[in-house]
Amino acid sequence: MAIVLGPNQYGKAETHLVRIVRDSPRHEITDLNVSSALRGDWSAAHLEGDQSAILPTDTQKNTAYVWAKTHPVDPIEDYGLSLAHHFVDDVEPVVGARIEIERFGWIRATVDGSEHDHTFVRTGPEIRTAAITVGPDGEHVIQGMKDFVILKSTESAFKDFLVDEYTTLAPTEDRVMATSLVAKWRISGDSLSEGGIDWNAMYEGVKAVMVAQFATLHSLALQQTLWNMGRAALEAYPEIAELKLSAPNKHHFVVDFSRFGVENQNEVFHADDRPYGLIQADVVRDDAPPAGDAWRSYSGLV
Amino acid sequence: MAIVLGPNQYGKAETHLVRIVRDSPRHEITDLNVSSALRGDWSAAHLEGDQSAILPTDTQKNTAYVWAKTHPVDPIEDYGLSLAHHFVDDVEPVVGARIEIERFGWIRATVDGSEHDHTFVRTGPEIRTAAITVGPDGEHVIQGMKDFVILKSTESAFKDFLVDEYTTLAPTEDRVMATSLVAKWRISGDSLSEGGIDWNAMYEGVKAVMVAQFATLHSLALQQTLWNMGRAALEAYPEIAELKLSAPNKHHFVVDFSRFGVENQNEVFHADDRPYGLIQADVVRDDAPPAGDAWRSYSGLV
Amino acid sequence: MAIVLGPNQYGKAETHLVRIVRDSPRHEITDLNVSSALRGDWSAAHLEGDQSAILPTDTQKNTAYVWAKTHPVDPIEDYGLSLAHHFVDDVEPVVGARIEIERFGWIRATVDGSEHDHTFVRTGPEIRTAAITVGPDGEHVIQGMKDFVILKSTESAFKDFLVDEYTTLAPTEDRVMATSLVAKWRISGDSLSEGGIDWNAMYEGVKAVMVAQFATLHSLALQQTLWNMGRAALEAYPEIAELKLSAPNKHHFVVDFSRFGVENQNEVFHADDRPYGLIQADVVRDDAPPAGDAWRSYSGLV
Amino acid sequence: MAIVLGPNQYGKAETHLVRIVRDSPRHEITDLNVSSALRGDWSAAHLEGDQSAILPTDTQKNTAYVWAKTHPVDPIEDYGLSLAHHFVDDVEPVVGARIEIERFGWIRATVDGSEHDHTFVRTGPEIRTAAITVGPDGEHVIQGMKDFVILKSTESAFKDFLVDEYTTLAPTEDRVMATSLVAKWRISGDSLSEGGIDWNAMYEGVKAVMVAQFATLHSLALQQTLWNMGRAALEAYPEIAELKLSAPNKHHFVVDFSRFGVENQNEVFHADDRPYGLIQADVVRDDAPPAGDAWRSYSGLV
């Protein structure tokens, strides 16, 4: 029996990088939180403190900045692929690179009814995400979103559920259903190889498809809604091999007015913080190629 | 010499209340964080533990919920005034009431190009705020905003400043200027008495005026920008007696590329979290009536 | 009628500064979040964008760092006074300075039963605070604490309160009482002038006195507990002119087990996040000198 | 080709549960954040909205509360195992259960030099964690910690690293090394089967071993420190099959005083928030049994 070094990686997390394109008076802004991790044989660093194969995390940060000048940052997937390839292709000991990106939303400010050339207002809470891996098993791209808060005020039920001795919940035909969605979809290797994906259009398209399902399905359960959101996205985008959803059920409790002589027919709710239901589901193609390192994550990027 | 009880207040903070209006298939949503504080002679509670004059904070919460059914919650200023008057007028020992409200933004989800009737998506980070006081010196309303993040990518300078032995900052003719604005504007008592204020229009109007100033003024300092934002708001809205601004200078540092043989002409920035400059200024009418208790706050509502 | 500039200030907020004293192998650590604001006639900066009287916030940051080398940072009150005096005394246009400090706790790591010389572990959530003002009305020091979370599991009641038509709360003889205390105490000007205050001893002493009251008073209300905490602190420390308390009532609800055939006699609680009661009280000496600018705050330092 | 449901789970996240043991005047407190997820064939719920096999998340919350009364909550590992077994053994469709727990620290308040019987003060930021899985491949327990912030002010170097064209970092013989440690260690199945593990002693023991390594190793790299922390823990505790570490390198930058005529020999630091280095390493026994579902996580529990 021996104690050995297992899987490991290191890098620079949460480099907050803003890129302004100012080639014309109408500027463009891209606002990113970039994390990079390098994979390879780092055993000498761990076992002996030998740094000779270690590219400092500070260098990774510098590189992320330079790449934002020398390569397009929009779409973020192309930026991430380029940066990952640089680490793997140009830095000798690096065998694999993981780039995780959050993109924060901005819109142009409106002045006198027109979009302003160089003034922007932050939007949110929705954050677009990307996770790019380049390594021994090739390229992987996972596109996604987080903190996308969506609510429907009717056409959601929860009833006929399993009851045991600790069940006190009353079934309901009509409730508020709300979530702060995390969704991540993996692009198939074939589609990546073919190239030509319009990443920004895909992001908006997947979001639109999922929103439509959330809105129009008369929901019997959050599980059912999630499944249909994922299924519809895969039907619309053959490039997507699988899609993962993690959805807190943000509870909106009807406040009990019975003692006040006032009716409350799903009109006034207490929105509770904790605890929350949490539903997680994957929707996959049954012929999806293996995920390899695609889902091996790095930063917790909260 | 004696030790005595000074100013005090108590209440329920951060009741997260969601109101759905469902009188037609096209629902409306109002999402509020409501805090209420009561003022009066609470010395028996403090000195002797005698609760006979204390309306429980739990009751204040219940009342906020009921009021959201029996009174319009939109605009929030009218809801707050009505709730504050209830406490002062209907609960014997209460002499003054403070209602502080945060309103979170939602827009209708778009499905097949149309706004959906009962599905909504959260917007932000901008939060609309209101602080209502009803007390011995009458009514006060402070309308406001927080977490309004705005950035301009050019037409902002900072130069010709005071230099001492600890100054290392280089002057600049062109920098990114960004802030996460907190603004609060107090309505004059006369305007409140006259009534008829369109609170939602005023909120959008003040925001538009301030955004226009931020965007179009070629700024020599954040102070100058703030002053002009406030001045323009007061000029546009005679109902406003004074306006307070608190603006972090969210630093965007040009990343030094000199060692990499790459130019960086205000294109790639490091957006730093801390520390930040923080500029605070009040813009007032020289004949503004006294503020009385208008600015005596309650919850830190983070 | 004219629109004019009202009160204003500017500075650098949240400079996170760590000072290591390493004059001997047994190092000392002081971990601070420092904010500084300057007050004076900054009207030219606001009205005309003229920066000639403006010492950059970057310079204020540099100065805070240098002062941490050239002056003791422990106790933080002396550091803050020294830094504030520098701005007022040495920088021509500055009329007043406000220094706000948060001090984070660290203890020595224990290795083989002994305190280690240069390894430390963070403690908390308690944060010690200080707010120092130097200006036209002299010096002010406010010592304080925040995020001090304390709970008693019995000997707290809440009953015989005012009941109205919206009251549903049941009275209780025995509940959990918990808070996350913010307390701030102002030192009298006379005590400051005399000098010789042992700030660290005062901080620990005030905390001990308040904890003892919280623990030993059989509480009839959080108000009563707060009053007695403040009263006891003022009795113990004649240097304190007044003490302000802001205490969220962190609700611990007894979970209803009645439907499960299990008893729950104040044994299992749901600790709720929001809403919370929020009680605020000042305890003052009736001959306290005027507070002047002592309570005029700057950074929200969350 | 078909679109199918992949791995999925659902449950109640972040039930904040406080247990007071009050069998004697000397009360005990256990403060937990509990999440539970159920695994099984939930395809009907997803594909058809059929809830007949779904035990509501509300019921899971109720059960967590009841279990905190009918079973010991301390140590949390035993509580989690018992709760997980209940779901798997007693609820028909449940095939696997995952329980994730955060335990917040409290110490007794000191009054007049003695520990108080029923008053407690929160400690932190360190949080103890546990992740329990009961499923088709048996029982798994992962003990751990998060938010454990530790710093050494000397005896840490970083030099002789790989240099490329984007490297600007200067090597150093002496720097501050600080991290906010996440560590998780998996107990071997054999040790679990044997029973008799003193969980609280193991937690304190592993922490002590890791702290000793952090403090006493003259570090050449954070990687080397992490490896030795993990190795020492596995050597001390044969029950541990593997240990995972995720360690942000919380940068403390020496502030440049060269322009001020003041020396700064590792005495004054700027503690930066973002970006941070992030080092992750696993330390494992080469004969460790397969992990099975042990690391299949649920809640992000932030």
Side-chain angles (χ1 to χ4, degrees):
Chain A
M1 189 278 296
I3 296 170
V4 296
L5 182 66
N8 60 87
Q9 59 185 334
Y10 80 97
K12 189 67 107 190
E14 304 206 43
T15 296
H16 191 176
L17 179 165
V18 174
R19 175 67 160 99
I20 305 290
V21 176
R22 44 196 302 151
D23 303 338
S24 80
R26 192 170 176 83
H27 291 189
E28 303 285 342
I29 184 170
T30 308
D31 182 359
L32 305 181
N33 197 21
V34 179
S35 298
S36 64
L38 303 185
R39 296 162 181 172
D41 178 4
W42 316 127
S43 52
H46 288 85
L47 275 55
E48 298 149 40
D50 174 355
Q51 304 304 307
S52 59
I54 297 292
L55 189 73
T57 67
D58 186 75
T59 303
Q60 296 179 44
K61 176 192 70 176
N62 287 346
T63 310
Y65 283 128
V66 170
W67 244 245
K69 163 66 179 174
T70 56
H71 296 73
V73 293
D74 183 12
I76 56 176
E77 291 80 4
D78 287 338
Y79 167 77
L81 279 165
S82 171
L83 185 59
H85 271 293
H86 160 67
F87 288 126
V88 173
D89 299 345
D90 302 343
V91 183
E92 174 58 31
V94 176
V95 171
R98 171 82 168 186
I99 311 294
E100 295 180 358
I101 305 175
E102 295 181 326
R103 179 175 184 167
F104 307 111
W106 291 86
I107 53 169
R108 289 184 187 278
T110 300
V111 177
D112 290 337
S114 301
E115 291 186 339
H116 198 262
D117 270 354
H118 58 256
T119 304
F120 305 88
V121 174
R122 264 281 267 131
T123 59
E126 174 191 350
I127 294 172
R128 178 171 162 182
T129 62
I132 291 96
T133 310
V134 172
D137 68 350
E139 291 179 343
H140 303 284
V141 175
I142 294 168
Q143 195 176 53
M145 64 197 314
K146 57 183 281 196
D147 297 349
F148 182 69
V149 180
I150 187 166
L151 173 152
K152 65 190 301 183
S153 52
T154 189
E155 296 193 359
S156 164
F158 187 60
K159 60 181 179 176
D160 300 330
F161 41 74
L162 186 64
V163 170
D164 74 0
E165 62 186 301
Y166 304 113
T167 303
T168 57
L169 187 73
T172 179
E173 290 281 356
D174 191 3
R175 62 171 182 172
V176 164
M177 188 166 76
T179 191
S180 175
L181 193 68
V182 179
K184 299 181 180 180
W185 44 98
R186 174 168 69 94
I187 309 308
S188 77
D190 286 354
S191 299
L192 271 185
S193 306
E194 286 168 23
I197 295 175
D198 182 339
W199 294 107
N200 294 346
M202 177 182 280
Y203 181 79
E204 294 303 329
V206 170
K207 181 167 71 167
V209 163
M210 293 199 297
V211 166
Q213 288 294 318
F214 184 93
T216 60
L217 179 76
H218 195 124
S219 176
L220 295 171
L222 183 46
Q223 280 94 333
Q224 187 194 25
T225 294
L226 294 179
W227 159 258
N228 280 284
M229 292 165 73
R231 182 194 48 72
L234 265 68
E235 284 174 0
Y237 288 88
E239 301 92 331
I240 301 178
E242 61 175 320
L243 184 148
K244 299 194 181 199
L245 293 153
S246 182
N249 192 342
K250 293 170 74 79
H251 302 307
H252 287 66
F253 296 110
V254 180
V255 181
D256 179 8
F257 281 1
S258 59
R259 293 174 62 176
F260 309 132
V262 179
E263 276 195 316
N264 183 8
Q265 297 184 318
N266 277 355
E267 293 161 300
V268 179
F269 298 86
H270 166 54
D272 210 13
D273 296 301
R274 288 192 299 174
Y276 47 90
L278 181 60
I279 318 295
Q280 297 171 335
D282 298 2
V283 181
V284 301
R285 292 185 199 281
D286 62 2
D287 62 350
D293 283 340
W295 297 107
R296 183 180 168 203
S297 68
Y298 175 51
S299 170
L301 284 181
V302 178
Chain B
M1 190 275 299
I3 296 170
V4 297
L5 181 66
N8 61 88
Q9 59 185 336
Y10 80 97
K12 189 67 108 190
E14 303 206 44
T15 296
H16 190 177
L17 178 166
V18 174
R19 175 68 161 98
I20 305 290
V21 175
R22 45 197 300 151
D23 302 338
S24 81
R26 191 170 177 84
H27 290 188
E28 304 285 343
I29 185 170
T30 309
D31 183 358
L32 305 182
N33 196 22
V34 179
S35 298
S36 63
L38 304 185
R39 298 163 181 171
D41 178 3
W42 316 127
S43 52
H46 287 85
L47 276 54
E48 298 149 41
D50 174 356
Q51 304 302 308
S52 59
I54 297 292
L55 189 73
T57 67
D58 186 76
T59 303
Q60 296 180 43
K61 177 191 70 177
N62 288 346
T63 309
Y65 284 128
V66 170
W67 244 245
K69 164 64 179 173
T70 55
H71 296 73
V73 293
D74 183 13
I76 55 177
E77 291 80 4
D78 286 340
Y79 167 76
L81 279 166
S82 171
L83 185 59
H85 270 293
H86 161 67
F87 288 126
V88 173
D89 299 345
D90 302 343
V91 182
E92 174 57 31
V94 176
V95 170
R98 171 82 169 186
I99 310 295
E100 295 180 358
I101 304 175
E102 296 182 326
R103 179 175 185 167
F104 307 112
W106 292 86
I107 53 169
R108 289 183 187 279
T110 300
V111 177
D112 291 337
S114 299
E115 292 187 338
H116 197 263
D117 271 353
H118 60 256
T119 304
F120 306 88
V121 174
R122 264 281 268 131
T123 59
E126 173 190 351
I127 294 172
R128 176 170 161 183
T129 62
I132 292 95
T133 310
V134 172
D137 67 350
E139 291 178 341
H140 303 283
V141 174
I142 295 169
Q143 194 175 55
M145 64 196 316
K146 57 183 279 193
D147 297 349
F148 182 71
V149 181
I150 187 165
L151 173 152
K152 65 189 303 182
S153 51
T154 189
E155 296 194 359
S156 165
F158 187 60
K159 59 180 179 176
D160 301 331
F161 41 75
L162 185 66
V163 171
D164 73 1
E165 63 186 301
Y166 303 113
T167 301
T168 56
L169 187 74
T172 179
E173 290 280 356
D174 190 3
R175 61 172 182 172
V176 164
M177 186 166 78
T179 191
S180 176
L181 192 68
V182 179
K184 299 181 181 180
W185 46 97
R186 174 167 69 95
I187 309 306
S188 76
D190 286 354
S191 299
L192 272 184
S193 305
E194 285 168 22
I197 295 175
D198 182 339
W199 293 107
N200 294 347
M202 176 182 280
Y203 181 80
E204 295 302 330
V206 169
K207 181 167 70 168
V209 163
M210 292 198 298
V211 165
Q213 289 293 318
F214 184 92
T216 60
L217 179 75
H218 195 124
S219 177
L220 296 172
L222 183 47
Q223 280 95 332
Q224 187 195 26
T225 294
L226 295 179
W227 159 258
N228 280 284
M229 292 166 73
R231 182 194 48 73
L234 264 67
E235 285 174 358
Y237 288 89
E239 302 92 332
I240 302 177
E242 60 174 321
L243 185 148
K244 298 193 182 198
L245 294 153
S246 181
N249 191 343
K250 293 170 74 79
H251 303 307
H252 287 66
F253 295 110
V254 180
V255 181
D256 179 9
F257 281 2
S258 58
R259 294 175 60 176
F260 309 133
V262 179
E263 274 195 318
N264 183 8
Q265 298 184 318
N266 275 357
E267 292 161 302
V268 179
F269 298 86
H270 166 53
D272 209 14
D273 296 302
R274 289 193 298 173
Y276 48 91
L278 181 59
I279 318 294
Q280 297 172 334
D282 298 3
V283 181
V284 302
R285 292 185 198 281
D286 62 1
D287 63 348
D293 283 339
W295 295 107
R296 184 179 167 202
S297 68
Y298 175 49
S299 170
L301 286 180
V302 178
Chain C
M1 191 279 297
I3 296 169
V4 296
L5 180 66
N8 61 87
Q9 58 185 335
Y10 79 98
K12 189 67 107 189
E14 303 207 43
T15 296
H16 190 176
L17 178 166
V18 174
R19 174 68 161 97
I20 305 290
V21 175
R22 45 196 302 149
D23 302 338
S24 80
R26 191 170 177 85
H27 291 187
E28 304 285 343
I29 184 170
T30 308
D31 183 359
L32 304 182
N33 197 21
V34 179
S35 299
S36 64
L38 304 185
R39 298 163 181 171
D41 179 3
W42 316 127
S43 53
H46 287 85
L47 275 55
E48 298 149 41
D50 174 355
Q51 304 303 307
S52 58
I54 297 293
L55 189 74
T57 67
D58 187 75
T59 303
Q60 296 179 44
K61 177 192 71 177
N62 288 346
T63 310
Y65 283 129
V66 171
W67 244 246
K69 163 66 179 172
T70 55
H71 296 73
V73 293
D74 183 13
I76 55 177
E77 291 80 3
D78 286 339
Y79 168 76
L81 279 165
S82 171
L83 185 58
H85 270 293
H86 161 67
F87 288 125
V88 173
D89 299 344
D90 302 342
V91 182
E92 174 59 31
V94 176
V95 170
R98 171 81 169 185
I99 310 295
E100 294 180 358
I101 305 175
E102 295 182 326
R103 178 173 185 168
F104 306 112
W106 292 86
I107 53 168
R108 289 183 187 278
T110 300
V111 177
D112 292 335
S114 300
E115 293 187 337
H116 198 265
D117 270 355
H118 59 255
T119 304
F120 306 89
V121 175
R122 263 281 268 131
T123 59
E126 174 190 351
I127 293 172
R128 177 171 161 182
T129 62
I132 292 94
T133 310
V134 172
D137 67 350
E139 292 179 343
H140 303 284
V141 174
I142 294 169
Q143 194 176 54
M145 65 195 315
K146 58 184 279 195
D147 297 350
F148 182 70
V149 181
I150 186 166
L151 173 152
K152 65 190 300 182
S153 52
T154 189
E155 298 194 356
S156 164
F158 187 61
K159 60 180 180 174
D160 300 331
F161 42 74
L162 186 65
V163 171
D164 73 0
E165 63 185 304
Y166 303 114
T167 301
T168 57
L169 187 72
T172 179
E173 290 281 357
D174 191 3
R175 62 171 182 173
V176 164
M177 187 166 79
T179 192
S180 175
L181 192 69
V182 179
K184 299 181 181 181
W185 45 98
R186 173 167 69 94
I187 309 306
S188 76
D190 286 353
S191 299
L192 272 184
S193 305
E194 285 168 24
I197 295 175
D198 182 339
W199 293 107
N200 294 348
M202 176 182 280
Y203 181 78
E204 295 303 329
V206 169
K207 181 167 70 167
V209 162
M210 293 199 298
V211 166
Q213 288 293 318
F214 184 92
T216 59
L217 179 76
H218 195 125
S219 176
L220 296 172
L222 183 47
Q223 281 94 335
Q224 187 195 24
T225 293
L226 295 179
W227 159 258
N228 280 283
M229 292 165 73
R231 182 194 48 73
L234 264 67
E235 285 174 359
Y237 289 88
E239 301 92 334
I240 302 178
E242 60 174 321
L243 185 148
K244 298 193 183 199
L245 294 153
S246 181
N249 191 342
K250 293 170 74 78
H251 302 307
H252 287 67
F253 295 110
V254 180
V255 181
D256 179 8
F257 281 3
S258 59
R259 294 175 61 176
F260 309 133
V262 179
E263 275 195 317
N264 183 8
Q265 298 184 316
N266 276 358
E267 292 160 302
V268 179
F269 298 86
H270 166 53
D272 209 14
D273 296 302
R274 288 192 299 172
Y276 48 91
L278 181 60
I279 317 294
Q280 297 172 334
D282 298 3
V283 181
V284 301
R285 292 185 198 281
D286 61 2
D287 62 349
D293 283 339
W295 296 107
R296 184 180 168 202
S297 67
Y298 175 51
S299 169
L301 285 180
V302 179
Chain D
M1 188 280 296
I3 296 170
V4 297
L5 181 66
N8 61 88
Q9 60 185 336
Y10 79 97
K12 188 67 106 190
E14 303 206 43
T15 295
H16 191 176
L17 179 165
V18 174
R19 175 67 160 99
I20 304 290
V21 176
R22 45 197 300 149
D23 303 337
S24 80
R26 191 170 176 83
H27 290 187
E28 303 285 344
I29 185 170
T30 309
D31 182 358
L32 304 181
N33 197 21
V34 179
S35 298
S36 64
L38 304 185
R39 297 162 180 172
D41 179 3
W42 316 128
S43 53
H46 287 87
L47 275 55
E48 297 149 40
D50 174 355
Q51 305 303 306
S52 59
I54 297 292
L55 189 73
T57 66
D58 186 75
T59 303
Q60 296 179 42
K61 176 193 70 177
N62 288 346
T63 309
Y65 283 128
V66 171
W67 244 245
K69 163 66 179 172
T70 57
H71 296 72
V73 293
D74 182 13
I76 56 177
E77 291 80 4
D78 287 338
Y79 167 77
L81 279 165
S82 172
L83 184 59
H85 271 292
H86 161 67
F87 289 126
V88 173
D89 299 344
D90 302 343
V91 183
E92 176 57 33
V94 176
V95 171
R98 171 81 168 187
I99 311 294
E100 295 180 358
I101 304 174
E102 295 181 326
R103 179 175 185 168
F104 307 111
W106 292 87
I107 52 169
R108 289 184 187 278
T110 300
V111 177
D112 290 336
S114 301
E115 292 187 339
H116 198 262
D117 270 353
H118 59 256
T119 304
F120 305 89
V121 174
R122 264 281 268 131
T123 59
E126 174 190 352
I127 293 172
R128 177 170 161 183
T129 63
I132 291 96
T133 310
V134 172
D137 68 350
E139 291 179 342
H140 303 285
V141 175
I142 294 168
Q143 194 175 55
M145 64 196 315
K146 57 182 281 195
D147 298 350
F148 182 70
V149 180
I150 187 167
L151 174 153
K152 65 190 302 183
S153 51
T154 189
E155 296 193 0
S156 165
F158 187 60
K159 59 179 180 177
D160 301 329
F161 41 74
L162 186 66
V163 170
D164 74 1
E165 63 187 300
Y166 303 113
T167 302
T168 56
L169 187 73
T172 178
E173 290 280 357
D174 190 3
R175 61 172 182 172
V176 164
M177 186 166 77
T179 191
S180 174
L181 192 69
V182 179
K184 299 180 181 181
W185 45 98
R186 174 168 68 94
I187 309 306
S188 77
D190 286 353
S191 299
L192 272 185
S193 306
E194 285 168 25
I197 295 175
D198 182 339
W199 294 107
N200 294 347
M202 176 182 280
Y203 181 80
E204 295 303 329
V206 170
K207 182 167 70 168
V209 163
M210 293 199 298
V211 166
Q213 288 293 319
F214 184 92
T216 60
L217 180 76
H218 195 125
S219 176
L220 296 172
L222 183 46
Q223 281 95 333
Q224 187 194 25
T225 294
L226 294 179
W227 159 259
N228 279 285
M229 292 165 72
R231 183 193 49 71
L234 265 67
E235 284 174 358
Y237 288 89
E239 302 92 332
I240 302 177
E242 61 175 320
L243 185 148
K244 300 194 181 198
L245 294 153
S246 181
N249 191 343
K250 294 169 74 80
H251 303 307
H252 287 66
F253 296 110
V254 180
V255 181
D256 179 8
F257 281 1
S258 59
R259 294 174 62 175
F260 309 133
V262 179
E263 275 195 317
N264 183 9
Q265 297 184 318
N266 277 357
E267 293 161 301
V268 179
F269 299 86
H270 166 53
D272 209 13
D273 296 303
R274 289 193 297 173
Y276 47 91
L278 181 60
I279 318 295
Q280 296 172 334
D282 298 3
V283 181
V284 300
R285 291 185 199 281
D286 62 3
D287 62 349
D293 283 340
W295 297 107
R296 184 180 168 202
S297 68
Y298 174 51
S299 169
L301 284 180
V302 178

